[in-house]
Amino acid sequence: MSIDTEKTYEIQSVLEIKSSTFFVPVLVLYTNDLVVIEQRLLQKISQAPDFFRNSPIVFDLHELNHNNDEIDVVKLVELIRKMGLFPIGIRGGNEFQNEQANSIFIPIDNTQSIAAEIPKTSVSTSQTIVKEVVVNNAATLITQPVRSGQRIYVSGDLIILAQVSAGAEIMAEGNIHVYNTLRGRALAGVQGNTNARIFCFDLQAELISIAGDYKTSEDLKETVEKKPVQIYLQNHALIIKELV
Amino acid sequence: MARIIVVTSGKGGVGKTTTSAAIAMGLAKRGHKTVVIDFDVGLRNLDLIMGCERRVVYDFINVINGEANLNQALIRDKHCNSLFILPASQTRDKDALTLEGVEKVLEELSKDFKYIVCDSPAGIEKGAHLAMYFADDAFVVTNPEVSSVRDSDRMLGIMASKSRRAELGMEPIKEYLLLTRYDPDRVEAGEMLSLEDVQEILSLHLLGIIPESKAVLNASNSGTPVILDEKSDAGQAYADVVARYLGEKRPHRFIDSKKGFLRKLFGGK
Ligand SMILES: Nc1ncnc2c1ncn2[C@@H]1O[C@H](COP(=O)(O)OP(=O)(O)O)[C@@H](O)[C@H]1O
Ligand SMILES: [Mg+2]
């Protein structure tokens, strides 16, 4: 009898299924030309190889199907894998494309296409979660340093009073304010808000991005460190301006 | 209730075990009943540094597995009555360390000891995680070089989100910086990061700078924590660290190059 109870105990501690939210970049396609897709993808990746290396990715075919542009999902998945990315979902596919995806074990993501997506409630993701205080519905305040390996994702604005280390990643669907040194990656407007801005006291970032357009530390070399700046988007170009 | 101190770094070979031995001895010499635990299962060397390797009978894992009780496994230090060592196992597999097991042992030790010093293994995997999980204070041991600083930063991030204090929403672990193997001459020559460089990246409360010192090797060869070598620079630096940790104010030393000092003194270039 005692053996029986021991067994039950063991079974209980074998596994657990928990629900969790995480952040994955979405590849939105506007052309079905695989050659052009490969070229552009290579270009994007070469600008931020660390950011994309082994990154999971969901591809979104909503625009293509909207325009009746056909694409072979099996070939597309092969191409994405060749780029060193891990396709983990299809979004906006038609019946045939979804079937194709199923046959090669790519899950179907039924959330709406990115353009139509409704902002989610504040979530912070990844293996290390940073303690956060929700100021109101729209902003999240972080007072502790964001260290290397930590990631933050919020649906509204993100306000950080401490430093953001190299190797840390902060993401907001809205604006990002860092009242300290920004050394990690900062991505504002991650759901496509091109009006989002990044503000920081000392820009030494590895990568900054607004609504998917980004610059890496390579491109930032000539900008002045140790001066408060704002970063915004103008005609798909990131503008970095000193705050006076 | 005991105060649990983790000596951690992320990177290996930076001076965690040297530091654990020194501060445990320093605290005990001041009359605080202290135990130092080796979390480095499979690579144990705290017992060597403490000079008690020949007296190891049972270890941390034996206690966790219920094969020995704490009193059987704890080794009393030969120099100091208030200091005990809980050695790691040399042979067992790392998976023998479990969260529940560690918690049980720490709880039992807490009843009896004032300070529990946890000597963390390198890396950010299970052993390092378990060593810091229950900590109240963290001594982050960092060498003045980029990779060590980066690893320390990573470890700090993990402590801020994956420790017991973080998970229960309690006051966070108190973090202190210990800059070790600091060589002012090499800093001046630009071969190592300076204290300012390190602090710009980590911005932590500085508990002390431990100079690169021959005394450390001598101490480990003779199996006596370097803090007992009271004439040595490293020994004094560790004594300062313990004093500062206990609330005394002591100016930082061993920052400036001796050559630089002499140069200044004689007005040379
Ligand atoms: N301040 C110091 N000066 C000179 N050598 C040191 C110093 N601190 C540590 N060492 C040496 O560095 C090596 C690694 O130290 P150890 O304390 O075992 O590091 P860890 O526990 O972080 O792996 C040892 O050989 C030790 O003697
Ligand atoms: Mg060690």
Side-chain angles (χ1 to χ4, degrees):
Chain A
M1 253 166 44
S2 66
I3 292 171
D4 271 343
T5 44
E6 251 181 59
K7 265 189 188 157
T8 337
Y9 186 71
E10 264 179 31
I11 287 162
Q12 275 175 347
S13 56
V14 170
L15 56 77
E16 224 179 322
I17 294 186
K18 289 184 168 176
S19 145
S20 138
T21 325
F22 59 99
F23 177 75
V24 181
V26 177
L27 174 67
V28 184
L29 294 176
Y30 299 103
T31 171
N32 59 355
D33 185 337
L34 289 171
V35 178
V36 177
I37 293 174
E38 174 164 1
Q39 276 172 0
R40 282 298 156 82
L41 210 48
L42 266 180
Q43 228 174 45
K44 283 266 180 206
I45 291 170
S46 71
Q47 282 167 329
D50 283 345
F51 182 66
F52 287 112
R53 186 173 305 127
N54 298 338
S55 172
I57 199 157
V58 168
F59 52 93
D60 187 332
L61 306 181
H62 186 267
E63 277 300 309
L64 295 186
N65 288 324
H66 187 70
N67 300 327
N68 288 323
D69 290 338
E70 280 174 24
I71 191 160
D72 185 333
V73 169
V74 177
K75 288 210 175 107
L76 176 64
V77 165
E78 251 167 40
L79 170 78
I80 296 172
R81 291 223 168 98
K82 205 171 82 187
M83 300 285 108
L85 298 164
F86 292 118
I88 60 153
I90 176 173
R91 191 184 272 189
N94 60 31
E95 212 172 304
F96 177 67
Q97 289 163 338
N98 285 348
E99 241 168 61
Q100 267 191 308
N102 250 335
S103 73
I104 51 170
F105 307 107
I106 299 288
I108 295 150
D109 178 7
N110 283 323
T111 18
Q112 282 164 291
S113 178
I114 209 157
E117 195 157 282
I118 342 138
K120 290 184 228 86
T121 43
S122 173
V123 280
S124 77
T125 57
S126 165
Q127 69 274 49
T128 52
I129 297 162
V130 173
K131 220 206 259 170
E132 56 187 55
V133 181
V134 178
V135 173
N136 57 42
N137 289 335
T140 303
L141 176 70
I142 308 273
T143 56
Q144 301 284 329
V146 187
R147 303 282 183 183
S148 173
Q150 290 188 300
R151 299 176 90 192
I152 300 176
Y153 183 94
V154 299
S155 61
D157 283 4
L158 180 57
I159 304 166
I160 299 181
L161 302 185
Q163 61 183 29
V164 178
S165 293
E169 189 169 52
I170 54 176
M171 291 171 279
E173 290 176 20
N175 304 297
I176 291 177
H177 306 251
V178 180
Y179 295 98
N180 211 305
T181 309
L182 170 58
R183 294 195 178 86
R185 301 189 244 274
L187 297 87
V190 288
Q191 294 289 347
N193 181 358
T194 51
N195 291 321
R197 292 182 182 216
I198 298 172
F199 305 85
C200 77
F201 267 23
D202 183 2
L203 181 66
Q204 302 182 26
E206 293 170 316
L207 179 136
I208 47 171
S209 157
I210 293 173
D213 283 293
Y214 54 83
K215 283 190 174 180
T216 62
S217 53
E218 284 282 294
D219 318 317
L220 296 174
K221 261 184 191 150
E222 67 274 30
T223 59
V224 262
E225 288 185 0
K226 300 213 158 75
K227 279 195 181 133
V229 294
Q230 65 160 321
I231 302 148
Y232 55 92
L233 208 51
Q234 208 169 58
N235 304 326
H236 280 285
L238 285 186
I239 311 289
I240 301 171
K241 219 179 198 147
E242 261 179 59
L243 287 167
V244 226
Chain B
M1 266 302 271
R3 194 97 189 143
I4 302 176
I5 302 169
V6 63
V7 179
T8 187
S9 70
K11 197 169 173 11
V14 293
K16 289 181 294 294
T17 301
T18 305
T19 299
S20 300
I23 60 158
M25 178 61 81
L27 289 165
K29 289 259 287 176
R30 282 165 167 258
H32 303 295
K33 200 170 174 198
T34 301
V35 56
V36 55
I37 308 177
D38 192 347
F39 274 77
D40 209 343
V41 174
L43 272 178
R44 67 165 222 234
N45 52 26
L46 180 70
D47 48 341
L48 289 172
I49 306 282
M50 303 291 302
C52 65
E53 71 279 9
R54 278 194 290 273
R55 289 192 285 148
V56 175
V57 182
Y58 295 109
D59 58 53
F60 193 12
I61 305 281
N62 289 135
V63 179
I64 286 177
N65 290 345
E67 294 150 3
N69 63 38
L70 260 177
N71 288 333
Q72 291 172 298
L74 285 174
I75 302 172
R76 190 191 285 268
D77 185 76
K78 61 186 173 205
H79 303 282
C80 182
N81 266 336
S82 349
L83 180 59
F84 290 80
I85 299 114
L86 184 54
S89 156
Q90 183 78 282
T91 48
R92 307 246 182 170
D93 149 53
K94 284 193 178 105
D95 291 335
L97 273 189
T98 61
L99 193 71
E100 296 74 27
V102 172
E103 181 171 30
K104 206 184 78 198
V105 172
L106 290 180
E107 241 166 42
E108 206 174 328
L109 288 170
S110 288
K111 291 182 204 142
D112 226 23
F113 287 90
K114 180 78 189 292
Y115 292 104
I116 301 173
V117 178
C118 303
D119 180 19
S120 174
I124 52 174
E125 303 308 322
K126 195 174 171 198
H129 183 229
L130 287 175
M132 70 79 180
Y133 186 78
F134 296 99
D136 302 302
D137 300 317
F139 288 16
V140 179
V141 178
T142 306
N143 290 167
E145 44 154 314
V146 175
S147 65
S148 171
V149 173
R150 176 68 73 94
D151 286 359
S152 294
D153 192 65
R154 181 108 167 82
M155 201 61 221
L156 285 160
I158 295 171
M159 286 194 289
S161 33
K162 296 185 86 179
S163 62
R164 185 182 62 112
R165 283 176 171 270
E167 286 179 2
L168 299 181
M170 295 161 66
E171 197 186 312
I173 296 177
K174 276 213 180 69
E175 304 156 344
Y176 300 97
L177 173 65
L178 235 87
L179 195 54
T180 62
R181 311 201 66 165
Y182 197 77
D183 185 340
D185 291 334
R186 294 191 61 192
V187 171
E188 205 161 280
E191 294 164 12
M192 276 184 166
L193 297 178
S194 68
L195 170 63
E196 291 78 44
D197 296 335
V198 176
Q199 277 296 57
E200 210 184 288
I201 298 171
L202 293 179
S203 43
L204 285 179
H205 180 83
L206 178 69
L207 209 49
I209 295 155
I210 314 298
E212 173 76 22
S213 165
K214 285 199 183 69
V216 172
L217 185 63
N218 294 340
S220 62
N221 284 339
S222 65
T224 41
V226 68
I227 198 168
L228 293 178
D229 185 354
E230 287 166 17
K231 289 201 193 71
S232 71
D233 47 0
Q236 291 176 17
Y238 276 118
D240 283 355
V241 163
V242 172
R244 287 190 200 104
Y245 175 69
L246 294 173
E248 280 175 42
K249 286 219 159 41
R250 293 200 182 177
H252 287 291
R253 303 192 266 172
F254 313 109
I255 303 176
D256 294 319
S257 149
K258 282 188 203 101
K259 286 182 202 150
F261 173 74
L262 289 176
R263 262 202 304 266
K264 268 180 219 145
L265 203 65
F266 297 113
K269 265 253 155 169

